[in-house]
Amino acid sequence: MTEPPARRLLLVHAHPDDESINNGATMAAYAAAGARVTLVTCTLGEEGEVIPAELAHLAPDREDALGAYRVGELAAAMKELGVTDHRFLGGTGRYRDSGMMGVAQNHRPGAFWAADVDEAAAHLVEVIREVRPQVLVTYDPDGGYGHPDHIQAHRVAMRAADLAADPGFRADLGEPHAIAKVYWNRVPRSVVEEGFRGLADALPGSPFTAVAALADVPGVTDDERITAEAGGPAFGAAKAAAMRAHATQIEVSEPLFALSNGLAQPIFVTEYYELVRGESGAAPGARETDLFAGLGTEGMDQ
Ligand SMILES: [Zn+2]
């Protein structure tokens, strides 16, 4: 038996593509450093809008075959990031994409938004007790931008972190495990403002004709709330390649990308986090540059 990597990072996301947009550089950096990176995706993204015209037939109102197609896109993206452990919550297709807030799909049987939080969390408890991550990354309570599946992913991840540590909960799912640090995805307002400054000048030569609004970026918050950053320019190419692998959802033209609305946004290669549980490993007032800082695992996987 070989020992598992000393550093173990778990990320919980709503749909295939969210991980690459939010954490692609972080995931690539830790995978390259020998840490175990585990991604749990809660739905197959069946309700997504399809960008390439030649794949429009996959859409939910036509063949409804987008979910299975996006399983392949996610696998290709994980290859680009060097991540080998990626799973769907409760198994592939257990929970379905709920669509945007307020649509009828929110309430159809199997929709993630309609799922019982404790029942969904039990599936994640099983993963947590098996992988035993020290660090969990997920969304803030608003899911970054209010999408029902993102809000639900936040609730399920936070609930599972509690239940996994509870010796009284479901002994059949493994030995209790307490996650040392929990982070929410964030983007500092100053970074977004800087990223959007001059964005219009970058449009010529790209396939995009208009720019997104600052409000289109999920998880934007005051700089003071950011406690950690990870990834960085060395992992920008891997992040862009992973985003490109989600071709039904994202069009990439470095350093820009666009979702199905076609509006250009900057690709952020440094990714930002707010520590919400656990102790910061940085000096008081300073940002952590390693999500495992203070855990005594530094350099153990290199
Ligand atoms: Zn999403």
Side-chain angles (χ1 to χ4, degrees):
M1 289 271 295
T2 51
E3 288 289 309
R7 295 182 295 172
R8 298 177 301 277
L9 170 65
L10 173 65
L11 303 102
V12 177
H13 276 290
H15 312 108
D17 80 354
D18 293 318
E19 78 299 324
S20 297
I21 296 169
N22 286 282
N23 310 110
T26 302
M27 294 170 74
Y30 283 110
R36 178 166 183 175
V37 178
T38 299
L39 170 68
V40 174
T41 307
C42 297
T43 79
L44 307 188
E46 293 93 333
E47 297 294 320
E49 289 181 42
V50 179
I51 296 175
E54 66 274 17
L55 294 174
H57 60 92
L58 298 171
D61 57 351
R62 292 181 61 184
E63 294 172 7
D64 194 18
L66 184 57
Y69 192 88
R70 293 183 71 177
V71 171
E73 290 186 335
L74 181 62
M78 292 306 94
K79 243 188 200 108
E80 299 291 353
L81 300 181
V83 171
T84 54
D85 185 8
H86 53 95
R87 316 156 183 224
F88 289 97
L89 186 69
T92 307
R94 173 66 183 81
Y95 296 106
R96 185 176 167 113
D97 187 338
S98 311
M100 294 296 181
M101 191 63 91
V103 301
Q105 288 91 319
N106 292 179
H107 306 291
R108 78 159 80 178
F112 189 46
W113 183 239
D116 178 80
V117 170
D118 278 13
E119 190 184 307
H123 295 299
L124 190 56
V125 167
E126 194 171 4
V127 177
I128 291 169
R129 288 181 175 176
E130 176 206 325
V131 174
R132 313 188 82 71
Q134 298 99 334
V135 177
L136 168 66
V137 169
T138 190
Y139 310 109
D140 64 30
D142 181 46
Y145 71 110
H147 189 296
D149 291 328
H150 288 239
I151 294 171
Q152 187 80 322
H154 160 86
R155 291 175 180 166
V156 168
M158 299 303 287
R159 182 71 177 141
D162 287 338
L163 292 174
D166 180 355
F169 181 76
R170 296 281 306 268
D172 59 307
L173 298 181
E175 291 289 312
H177 174 74
I179 297 171
K181 299 170 88 176
V182 178
Y183 293 93
W184 292 343
N185 290 307
R186 294 292 197 188
V187 188
R189 200 176 312 281
S190 68
V191 169
V192 181
E193 286 170 355
E194 176 63 29
F196 276 77
R197 205 169 290 137
L199 201 56
D201 300 331
L203 290 182
S206 87
F208 311 123
T209 54
V211 298
L214 268 67
D216 292 326
V217 179
V220 176
T221 190
D222 293 339
D223 289 32
E224 298 75 50
R225 293 188 68 165
I226 309 294
T227 65
E229 54 184 74
F235 301 96
K239 174 170 183 165
M243 290 173 66
R244 192 172 275 120
H246 292 287
T248 62
Q249 305 301 306
I250 307 174
E251 187 170 7
V252 175
S253 177
E254 286 173 81
L256 308 176
F257 78 99
L259 301 173
S260 61
N261 61 15
L263 302 175
Q265 302 185 36
I267 298 174
F268 296 116
V269 296
T270 298
E271 295 157 348
Y272 300 87
Y273 301 92
E274 178 180 2
L275 179 69
V276 295
R277 287 189 191 177
E279 295 291 318
S280 171
R287 270 186 201 165
E288 296 177 297
T289 54
D290 176 8
L291 304 182
F292 293 85
L295 296 176
T297 52
E298 284 86 345
M300 286 183 70
D301 296 309
Q302 277 86 348

